[in-house]
Amino acid sequence: MKNKILLLGLMPLMAFGQQNVHIPAPEKSPEVKDNGTVVFRIKAPEGKEVKLSGAFDGVTPSRSTYEGGEYVFAFDSVAPDLYDYWFEVDGVKTLDPSNPYVARDIAWLSNIFIVPGGNADWFATADVPHGSVHKNWYRSDMLGGEERRMTVYTPAGYEESGETYPVLYLLHGMGGDEDAWGELGRAVQILDNQIAAGKTEPMIVVMPNGNALRNAAPGFTGDGMYIAEGEHSIDPEKIFVKSFPEIIEFVESNYRVKADKAHRAVAGLSMGGGHSWQLGLRYPDTFDYIGLFSPAVRWNGAGVDENGDDTELIKLLERQFANPPKKYQIAIGRDDFLYGINESYRELLDSLQLPYEYVESEGGHTWRNWRNYLVDFLPALFRNP
Amino acid sequence: MKNKILLLGLMPLMAFGQQNVHIPAPEKSPEVKDNGTVVFRIKAPEGKEVKLSGAFDGVTPSRSTYEGGEYVFAFDSVAPDLYDYWFEVDGVKTLDPSNPYVARDIAWLSNIFIVPGGNADWFATADVPHGSVHKNWYRSDMLGGEERRMTVYTPAGYEESGETYPVLYLLHGMGGDEDAWGELGRAVQILDNQIAAGKTEPMIVVMPNGNALRNAAPGFTGDGMYIAEGEHSIDPEKIFVKSFPEIIEFVESNYRVKADKAHRAVAGLSMGGGHSWQLGLRYPDTFDYIGLFSPAVRWNGAGVDENGDDTELIKLLERQFANPPKKYQIAIGRDDFLYGINESYRELLDSLQLPYEYVESEGGHTWRNWRNYLVDFLPALFRNP
């Protein structure tokens, strides 16, 4: 018997996976150097043309070489941030074969990497206590009686503490779903890192699917592996906003939360900024902290009638600000295509002498801005409840 | 004031995302037809050579065309299953630009799709009640005092029922992590679908990270975005298996479970099969259901000394089977490179007259087999506790 035994401990380390494990390309790509230089490498022995796209589209590399069948693109002095990119090989979009880090925007995949420093240090996974992330399903009677998916972040220590926590509802844009703030927004890392640093209060963060026409991210709906094409509803008031109490009820029934206005916040980007704006108007006693990031505000049907008459909106605003939220923030980039409607909305708030904070940044309607807005918004929440 | 209002409801639907939303390539790829034909399409106007790899590597298409800058590969009579694939464009690995469904195996990304029918129907997301998926962190004093990540599935209705549930611990192989059974193993879909069909008991499924040298999947460790290279420990007894009670304790403290042998199962593939095998031996009163899928059994240090003497293993087996588990199953493919050691292990069990079930399938050390083994293993669990 003994001499039949195969001593597995002596087998080469990779033998376990020989039939199912692929080893990534040996190229290190991207290589992020301490001096801010970023180097991309791709083996393309037969490639006629390789182009770098995404955040680096149209940016001329500091150096580029083609040697031994490998393209190398180096960019110097890259500012700290999270970047997305992909290659085009002979005109075909190609994810970097050496980089397994991929983020999804609806049905579009990009590689990502981080250049450390500044706010980007909040985006990185660090050796700090980590919160848990839950993918839950809740039933929505208002949205067809179907089950809908939400992502819930509970802070490190939640399991053991027995305590109750405040809640931030964090809403995605039209081009997103319940995974968006986690994947592209780095919300989990930002929360973990800011809470560990004592910069932000431990809180629960709820990221529901805000697309009234879909109940979950691609691959998690009854449609199976459908290809999402951004077919979101733009009628938030009548659908998603009205169904929001179902989300709050699910969260408050299933998580240990402080269930009052002083311990609820809502923030969102673009369409989710519009949702947050409407949630503030429609439920004036529910949220004490409201963050509108590049928000789709002041539209037809949301307190503004089809002729542009905002009498109803003004009434709602006056009701909301009779007992004003502790924080009401609008953040937008100077190049954002929603800048104009936000400017007119701010004029309306000014004319009504309603208090709000305003953050104006460089850039446009981008995740780069939304990550930074979240970094700046979180530390103010629930500090003086 | 009124004439300044921009009526957002009139904006084109995609305008919200114009600066950050990409639309996938209009090609439908893959197209899975009712008759079992699968069509792949990729625009490669400047491509010299496009090859289809992965599950279709080396398989000759039934038809292929190149027209108008688009390659089309059609395969007829594709058997029901979940398949992985990717393209090579002029020698460069390229994920299908039209298919956002990607699964990760360590650091290797592939596109996936499903041809419905047979067991593959368990793999698809269906319109059934869905369980929740939790990414938790638990502290392991035995593994350096660090926090380690695990995936926990709770069945549909868990939140509301107030009931306690049995638990399956489901372990990955050397080429895997706490995401593997979910991503490549389709465990979440299989559980949702089988529970909804009444074929499998509602249960909690715990998928910890079994790599003693890493505490989490790539991107979730303090190493940040490291590139995993399959550097797993092959000494399960001394490290991961010994630390397993910490996992059970975390689960039983944080989830509503039935905490006895009759309501605990453990199963795993390859290295995780070895872990499951050892867990049965080392904790004979803990698990009543043991599933060994292509398991790495009977190695040096795990009851077998460096000279191949298995006296200690036999003692452990006799202790375990003095009060035998209700189900002890070995499943392996005829082409599996671990077939030999499993054959010798079965001979040992036979010589000791210890009862076990044996499943021998076609094929080798593949996720295709492991998904099927799971489909067949689950319905027997916790039926007659």
Side-chain angles (χ1 to χ4, degrees):
Chain A
M1 191 56 104
K2 280 178 201 171
N3 54 4
K4 276 194 185 176
I5 293 170
L6 202 165
L7 293 181
L8 214 64
L10 301 176
M11 293 175 67
L13 197 65
M14 284 315 301
F16 273 109
Q18 64 184 13
Q19 285 165 271
N20 73 313
V21 170
H22 306 278
I23 299 302
E27 286 73 39
K28 183 165 187 166
S29 180
E31 181 183 7
V32 180
K33 299 187 177 187
D34 288 343
N35 62 359
T37 293
V38 179
V39 183
F40 301 89
R41 298 182 176 90
I42 184 168
K43 284 269 186 205
E46 301 167 51
K48 283 188 297 207
E49 191 195 10
V50 173
K51 196 182 141 193
L52 190 58
S53 284
F56 288 78
D57 202 13
V59 182
T60 305
S62 310
R63 291 173 300 289
S64 63
T65 62
Y66 181 67
E67 206 170 304
E70 184 178 69
Y71 287 90
V72 179
F73 306 98
F75 295 80
D76 293 330
S77 308
V78 178
D81 210 334
L82 183 148
Y83 294 93
D84 69 318
Y85 73 102
W86 58 91
F87 293 113
E88 285 181 23
V89 175
D90 286 349
V92 180
K93 180 198 171 190
T94 302
L95 291 176
D96 186 343
S98 303
N99 182 0
Y101 295 100
V102 167
R104 181 179 56 80
D105 194 3
I106 317 183
W108 186 265
L109 303 180
S110 312
N111 288 108
I112 57 169
F113 67 95
I114 293 173
V115 176
N119 273 0
D121 287 343
W122 299 119
F123 309 155
T125 303
D127 259 331
V128 298
H130 300 295
S132 294
V133 176
H134 314 265
K135 302 286 182 182
N136 288 132
W137 294 83
Y138 72 99
R139 184 182 165 83
S140 173
D141 290 323
M142 288 192 199
L143 288 168
E146 68 182 357
E147 294 214 306
R148 298 177 58 82
R149 196 159 173 257
M150 64 166 76
T151 303
V152 179
Y153 168 89
T154 51
Y158 173 86
E159 286 82 1
E160 304 81 27
S161 76
E163 288 175 17
T164 57
Y165 293 82
V167 183
L168 164 63
Y169 294 85
L170 189 58
L171 311 182
H172 64 78
M174 181 179 286
D177 51 52
E178 70 276 16
D179 294 340
W181 269 109
E183 284 212 17
L184 284 158
R186 304 295 287 181
V188 172
Q189 288 79 12
I190 294 169
L191 267 291
D192 277 356
N193 291 332
Q194 289 200 337
I195 292 170
K199 190 177 169 72
T200 283
E201 290 288 310
M203 66 181 77
I204 291 171
V205 182
V206 177
M207 296 163 271
N209 187 306
N211 177 351
L213 303 180
R214 292 281 185 192
N215 62 335
F220 294 93
T221 75
D223 301 325
M225 293 181 167
Y226 79 94
I227 306 296
E229 286 169 356
E231 72 290 63
H232 283 198
S233 162
I234 55 166
D235 191 346
E237 190 227 346
K238 290 193 189 140
I239 311 177
F240 184 68
V241 170
K242 274 196 182 161
S243 79
F244 210 84
E246 298 174 325
I247 292 171
I248 296 177
E249 191 191 338
F250 177 87
V251 170
E252 298 188 349
S253 304
N254 287 287
Y255 291 92
R256 297 193 315 272
V257 305
K258 297 190 204 297
D260 60 11
K261 182 181 182 182
H263 297 91
R264 286 197 208 96
V266 65
L269 69 91
S270 194
M271 178 183 81
H275 289 159
S276 303
W277 168 66
Q278 279 287 307
L279 287 164
L281 290 171
R282 301 286 165 185
Y283 309 106
D285 301 323
T286 302
F287 304 100
D288 237 346
Y289 303 86
I290 295 174
L292 312 180
F293 305 159
S294 306
V297 288
R298 201 179 188 192
W299 59 21
N300 178 12
V304 183
D305 82 6
E306 59 213 6
N307 302 313
D309 183 333
D310 54 13
T311 309
E312 173 68 11
L313 171 58
I314 290 169
K315 266 194 235 164
L316 290 171
L317 276 169
E318 284 175 340
R319 182 181 68 164
Q320 178 181 7
F321 281 84
N323 180 14
K326 289 206 173 71
K327 185 180 181 76
Y328 190 91
Q329 187 194 77
I330 299 168
I332 195 159
R334 269 185 279 280
D335 303 329
D336 196 306
F337 74 104
L338 295 180
Y339 190 90
I341 55 166
N342 274 276
E343 195 172 30
S344 89
Y345 182 58
R346 282 185 288 115
E347 285 171 15
L348 177 63
L349 293 176
D350 291 340
S351 73
L352 299 169
Q353 297 190 291
L354 301 180
Y356 63 95
E357 296 166 39
Y358 180 58
V359 174
E360 190 170 297
S361 69
E362 300 293 327
H365 207 70
T366 63
W367 274 106
R368 179 181 188 184
N369 272 343
W370 302 324
R371 282 187 293 267
N372 287 332
Y373 299 157
L374 183 66
V375 163
D376 294 338
F377 184 71
L378 289 171
L381 301 185
F382 315 121
R383 283 296 186 182
N384 301 297
Chain B
M1 190 58 105
K2 279 180 204 173
N3 53 7
K4 274 194 187 177
I5 293 173
L6 201 162
L7 293 181
L8 215 61
L10 301 176
M11 295 176 66
L13 198 64
M14 285 314 302
F16 272 109
Q18 63 182 13
Q19 285 165 269
N20 73 311
V21 171
H22 307 279
I23 299 301
E27 286 73 39
K28 181 163 187 168
S29 180
E31 182 184 4
V32 180
K33 300 188 177 185
D34 288 342
N35 62 359
T37 294
V38 179
V39 183
F40 301 88
R41 296 181 176 90
I42 184 168
K43 283 267 185 206
E46 300 168 51
K48 283 188 296 209
E49 191 196 10
V50 173
K51 196 183 141 193
L52 189 59
S53 285
F56 288 77
D57 202 11
V59 183
T60 306
S62 311
R63 293 173 299 290
S64 63
T65 63
Y66 181 67
E67 205 171 304
E70 185 178 66
Y71 287 90
V72 179
F73 306 98
F75 295 80
D76 292 332
S77 307
V78 178
D81 209 337
L82 184 147
Y83 293 93
D84 68 318
Y85 74 101
W86 57 92
F87 291 113
E88 286 182 22
V89 175
D90 286 350
V92 180
K93 179 196 170 190
T94 302
L95 291 177
D96 186 343
S98 301
N99 182 359
Y101 295 99
V102 167
R104 181 178 56 80
D105 192 4
I106 315 184
W108 186 267
L109 303 180
S110 313
N111 289 108
I112 57 171
F113 68 94
I114 293 172
V115 176
N119 272 359
D121 287 343
W122 300 118
F123 309 155
T125 303
D127 259 331
V128 298
H130 299 296
S132 294
V133 176
H134 314 266
K135 302 286 182 182
N136 288 131
W137 294 82
Y138 71 100
R139 184 183 165 84
S140 173
D141 290 322
M142 288 192 199
L143 289 168
E146 68 181 357
E147 294 214 307
R148 297 175 59 81
R149 197 159 173 259
M150 65 166 76
T151 303
V152 179
Y153 168 89
T154 52
Y158 173 86
E159 287 81 1
E160 304 82 28
S161 75
E163 287 174 19
T164 57
Y165 293 83
V167 183
L168 164 64
Y169 295 86
L170 189 57
L171 310 181
H172 64 80
M174 181 179 283
D177 50 52
E178 71 275 17
D179 294 341
W181 269 109
E183 285 213 17
L184 284 158
R186 305 295 285 182
V188 171
Q189 288 79 12
I190 294 169
L191 266 292
D192 277 356
N193 291 331
Q194 290 200 335
I195 291 170
K199 189 178 169 73
T200 283
E201 290 288 308
M203 66 181 77
I204 292 171
V205 182
V206 177
M207 295 162 272
N209 186 307
N211 178 351
L213 303 179
R214 293 280 185 193
N215 63 335
F220 294 93
T221 77
D223 301 326
M225 292 182 168
Y226 78 93
I227 307 296
E229 286 169 354
E231 72 292 63
H232 284 195
S233 164
I234 55 167
D235 190 347
E237 190 226 348
K238 291 194 186 140
I239 310 176
F240 184 67
V241 170
K242 276 196 182 162
S243 78
F244 210 85
E246 298 173 327
I247 292 171
I248 296 177
E249 192 192 336
F250 176 87
V251 170
E252 298 188 350
S253 304
N254 287 288
Y255 292 91
R256 297 192 316 272
V257 304
K258 297 191 203 295
D260 60 12
K261 183 180 180 181
H263 297 91
R264 285 196 209 95
V266 64
L269 69 91
S270 193
M271 179 182 82
H275 289 160
S276 303
W277 169 65
Q278 280 287 306
L279 287 164
L281 291 170
R282 301 285 165 186
Y283 308 107
D285 301 323
T286 301
F287 304 100
D288 238 347
Y289 303 86
I290 296 174
L292 312 180
F293 305 160
S294 306
V297 288
R298 204 180 186 192
W299 58 19
N300 179 11
V304 182
D305 82 5
E306 60 212 6
N307 302 312
D309 184 335
D310 54 12
T311 310
E312 172 68 11
L313 172 57
I314 291 170
K315 267 194 234 164
L316 290 170
L317 277 169
E318 285 174 340
R319 182 180 69 166
Q320 179 180 5
F321 282 84
N323 180 15
K326 289 206 175 72
K327 185 182 180 74
Y328 190 90
Q329 185 194 78
I330 299 169
I332 195 159
R334 270 187 279 281
D335 302 330
D336 197 306
F337 73 105
L338 296 180
Y339 191 90
I341 56 165
N342 274 275
E343 195 171 30
S344 89
Y345 181 59
R346 282 185 287 116
E347 285 170 13
L348 176 63
L349 293 175
D350 290 340
S351 73
L352 298 169
Q353 297 188 290
L354 301 179
Y356 63 94
E357 294 165 41
Y358 180 56
V359 175
E360 190 170 296
S361 69
E362 300 292 328
H365 207 70
T366 63
W367 274 107
R368 179 181 187 185
N369 272 341
W370 303 324
R371 283 187 293 267
N372 287 332
Y373 299 159
L374 184 66
V375 163
D376 293 338
F377 184 71
L378 289 171
L381 301 184
F382 315 123
R383 282 295 185 183
N384 300 298

